[in-house]
Amino acid sequence: MEHGTRIKEGLVDIKGMGAFFYIPIGIMAVNAVYCYLTRGRYGVPIEIVRESYGIFPIICISFWISCLFEDLLNSEGREMLLSMPYKNLEYGLKRVIRYTLLYIIIFYIFFALAVLMIGRNVVMEAQDIYLPVLSIFFYSAFNFLIAVITRNSVTVMTAAGILSMFMYLTRGSASLCIYPLQWGNPNPFFTPYAVGIALFTATLALYAAAQMLFSNRDFLMR
Amino acid sequence: MDKLIIQSVDKSFGRIRALRQASLEISTGIFGLLGENGAGKTTLMRIIATVLKPDAGEITLGDIKWSRDSHKVRQILGYLPQEFGAFKNVTAEECLKYIAQLKGIRGSEECLLQTERVLKEVNLLEAKDRKVGGFSGGMRRRLGIAQALLNDPELIIVDEPTAGLDPAERIRFRNLLRQLGKNRIVILSTHIVEDIEATCQSLAVIKNGTSVQFSSQQELSAIAEGKVWTWKLSNADYNSLGKDVHVVSSKIHKEYVEARIIAGVKPGPEAEETEPTIEEGYLVWNMEQE
């Protein structure tokens, strides 16, 4: 597909998401302001950013992924779309990853803005890059799978909410280090490296399962 | 152009057998598929549209086999399902450009050309910048046909296209369908006999998942030959007609009622045998199946 046509296709996808496209961006903007207002409270400045950006902005990728397939999976028009000669990988997994990468870019723009607004020396570690990235990808994969199975955007967002609450309350102790909130609400018994490996593995498995189901049009039609 | 051959297609959903050895041969032109709700029409349409896979049987169009070449089928197919509710937040033009890309139309210029061509064909060019969510039912159906026409498909499937449309929209839609059938295969699935009468050269009837093909509308109406009567009755006589008398339609005049009746024998001394319509042929066929 041409670059120009891909951008236009993206604009249609974004328009299709409606207000849900802007909700995560709004939350990230509010968090940047929060970082500015609370900048004096923390001894270690990066902790303000981790606490602000490590929970809701990471979970909010759910809004995008649940809406991305609204037309294909949940609308009255899905039969028409299912009869199209789209390539399953292109329209499924690759599309999810494109939007997840876009989300990560926006996330780090606001992350950088928050750091600037703190106005103090902010010392970052490697985990401040790879943990949020892996966590966002984890939620992206999880939501993709739930979207394909349930074909209901409300259920997708609810499932993400329930998972997050469970993870937050247990601090990942019941999920074998698969803990996407480690960056914002760390479990002291986990190392960032171990959580990173666990998230990476789980994400791959979730993406594979989701794409496999997505490629089965009979299943999507049920 | 090659014929579309549907051979012994079966499909079940759990214990419900939606299609039983359905077989049809469809040539260029508009082909009608008539049947009541739940007969299996939509299931067959979905199988032809590659949205569902049959449990058994095969569909071919020349060298193309549905079981082997589903991607190729989708490239030559245009499908308008019963419901077209996708892309409510975008304009008609954006919707069609998006679908054009899904259909593999390359290049933004080609996309634009095709989009404008199909919008013009369905008389929606002036509404191209309006959001799809704000369209009336008739406009949405026309947009549905527009997307089905993108990439100039050889095979178009239209499922219950006029259900819910007002009479003016229905006539407009039928005229559009007639134009489409000139050099491609168009399959029109409907329970509205008037749609078949107005547009189809040949047809099939489907009941309980089984199909019976007719080469022309006359072949179907001929089933009711000798069984359709017009009868002028007084209001009192009309109201006292027994339940065993099958009244197809009635026209109320000042002093009498003119009824069209299906009956194996002359229902009364003043009844006159009359030429059956497709609807009556279909009703008689239906009764005979039961």
Side-chain angles (χ1 to χ4, degrees):
Chain A
M1 199 180 281
E2 269 186 26
H3 182 63
T5 51
R6 179 155 294 161
I7 289 174
K8 284 175 188 161
E9 176 204 312
L11 288 173
V12 171
D13 280 336
I14 288 169
K15 263 190 165 185
M17 291 185 206
F20 286 118
F21 177 78
Y22 300 101
I23 290 174
I25 296 173
I27 288 172
M28 289 189 226
V30 165
N31 280 338
V33 173
Y34 174 79
C35 287
Y36 173 72
L37 292 173
T38 58
R39 64 194 186 283
R41 263 211 262 151
Y42 291 76
V44 181
I46 192 64
E47 281 181 16
I48 312 169
V49 183
R50 285 177 190 159
E51 204 182 88
S52 310
Y53 282 84
I55 312 291
F56 287 111
I58 285 181
I59 300 167
C60 282
I61 181 71
S62 310
F63 286 108
W64 282 23
I65 305 301
S66 66
C67 292
L68 198 58
F69 296 102
E70 181 71 17
D71 287 311
L72 182 64
L73 300 177
N74 194 22
S75 78
E76 294 162 338
R78 65 194 177 124
E79 281 180 64
M80 174 202 68
L81 288 168
L82 286 171
S83 73
M84 300 272 163
Y86 60 77
K87 289 181 181 159
N88 291 322
L89 193 61
E90 187 65 43
Y91 201 55
L93 183 59
K94 282 187 179 180
R95 202 160 148 243
V96 171
I97 288 178
R98 273 202 300 275
Y99 283 97
T100 306
L101 287 171
L102 175 64
Y103 189 92
I104 288 170
I105 290 169
I106 295 173
F107 177 90
Y108 275 104
I109 289 171
F110 281 98
F111 178 100
L113 187 66
V115 165
L116 284 170
M117 285 178 114
I118 288 170
R120 293 156 64 186
N121 281 336
V122 177
V123 178
M124 282 174 50
E125 298 170 16
Q127 64 161 311
D128 297 311
I129 302 295
Y130 70 78
L131 270 187
V133 168
L134 288 171
S135 301
I136 291 170
F137 268 114
F138 172 83
Y139 271 104
S140 158
F142 175 79
N143 289 316
F144 182 25
L145 179 62
I146 301 296
V148 171
I149 291 172
T150 66
R151 273 151 274 156
N152 185 307
S153 48
V154 173
T155 310
V156 173
M157 288 191 261
T158 306
I162 292 171
L163 175 80
S164 306
M165 209 167 347
F166 173 76
M167 291 283 186
Y168 187 85
L169 293 172
T170 61
R171 285 201 172 184
S173 54
S175 56
L176 302 170
C177 264
I178 301 171
Y179 182 39
L181 304 178
Q182 172 71 13
W183 189 57
N185 183 38
N187 183 325
F189 297 105
F190 293 162
T191 63
Y193 182 71
V195 171
I197 297 283
L199 284 174
F200 179 76
T201 311
T203 300
L204 283 182
L206 289 168
Y207 271 142
Q211 182 58 31
M212 194 180 75
L213 289 174
F214 184 80
S215 302
N216 185 338
R217 296 191 196 207
D218 241 40
F219 173 78
L220 295 181
M221 195 51 222
R222 278 182 221 161
Chain B
M1 203 185 150
D2 294 310
K3 281 188 184 180
L4 178 71
I5 298 173
I6 299 166
Q7 257 176 314
S8 307
V9 166
D10 274 336
K11 182 69 180 177
S12 297
F13 299 102
R15 284 188 192 165
I16 299 169
R17 206 160 163 207
L19 289 175
R20 302 160 192 263
Q21 300 281 297
S23 297
L24 297 168
E25 260 189 46
I26 303 171
S27 307
T28 305
I30 306 179
F31 183 87
L33 187 64
L34 181 62
E36 57 202 16
N37 291 330
K41 303 187 301 297
T42 296
T43 302
L44 183 57
M45 295 297 100
R46 286 174 178 170
I47 288 173
I48 299 171
T50 69
V51 172
L52 289 176
K53 281 190 185 147
D55 297 331
E58 180 63 86
I59 302 175
T60 55
L61 178 68
D63 300 336
I64 302 173
K65 273 188 172 180
W66 262 237
S67 56
R68 180 190 67 198
D69 307 317
S70 56
H71 188 72
K72 202 166 179 192
V73 172
R74 291 172 190 138
Q75 287 174 326
I76 59 156
L77 174 76
Y79 177 40
L80 174 60
Q82 276 190 39
E83 304 290 343
F84 177 76
F87 305 113
K88 289 181 178 158
N89 292 334
V90 300
T91 66
E93 190 180 23
E94 286 167 343
C95 169
L96 288 176
K97 280 181 179 170
Y98 188 88
I99 292 172
Q101 285 152 29
L102 286 181
K103 287 193 168 191
I105 296 172
R106 300 276 174 260
S108 46
E109 260 189 56
E110 183 60 26
C111 263
L112 181 64
L113 267 167
Q114 290 234 19
T115 301
E116 294 205 336
R117 175 183 66 82
V118 300
L119 280 170
K120 203 173 171 184
E121 249 183 277
V122 303
N123 204 19
L124 278 178
L125 197 55
E126 284 170 14
K128 66 177 184 169
D129 294 322
R130 279 174 55 184
K131 279 196 177 172
V132 174
F135 276 11
S136 67
M139 289 171 80
R140 261 205 294 278
R141 290 295 166 82
R142 280 189 276 149
L143 183 65
I145 271 285
Q147 65 78 24
L149 291 175
L150 285 169
N151 222 15
D152 209 18
E154 290 173 40
L155 171 63
I156 294 180
I157 301 165
V158 188
D159 194 1
E160 308 272 9
T162 65
L165 297 185
D166 64 52
E169 279 290 355
R170 208 175 285 164
I171 290 167
R172 207 176 290 140
F173 206 87
R174 286 173 191 159
N175 290 336
L176 178 58
L177 277 181
R178 270 196 289 271
Q179 291 300 313
L180 295 180
K182 285 184 178 166
N183 53 5
R184 51 168 70 87
I185 295 173
V186 177
I187 304 175
L188 164 65
S189 164
T190 182
H191 63 273
I192 300 172
V193 180
E194 289 82 2
D195 286 348
I196 302 275
E197 265 180 318
T199 55
C200 300
Q201 290 104 351
S202 53
L203 68 154
V205 182
I206 187 163
K207 186 178 174 74
N208 295 329
T210 306
S211 60
V212 175
Q213 188 159 353
F214 298 92
S215 58
S216 64
Q217 295 185 20
Q218 289 72 27
E219 200 185 331
L220 177 57
S221 58
I223 291 176
E225 201 76 53
K227 294 173 185 167
V228 181
W229 313 84
T230 54
W231 196 3
K232 288 179 185 170
L233 301 142
S234 68
N235 286 320
D237 286 342
Y238 178 76
N239 290 332
S240 62
L241 280 176
K243 284 180 186 173
D244 54 331
V245 176
H246 195 110
V247 177
V248 178
S249 64
S250 52
K251 266 190 206 164
I252 299 171
H253 299 270
K254 255 190 184 169
E255 286 164 8
Y256 65 94
V257 177
E258 188 179 342
R260 278 182 81 97
I261 289 167
I262 291 176
V265 295
K266 194 169 180 178
E270 284 156 17
E272 289 172 10
E273 192 183 326
T274 191
E275 192 75 26
T277 62
I278 300 177
E279 186 175 27
E280 285 148 2
Y282 171 63
L283 287 170
V284 169
W285 179 87
N286 220 11
M287 285 191 280
E288 285 171 0
Q289 300 308 304
E290 282 160 12

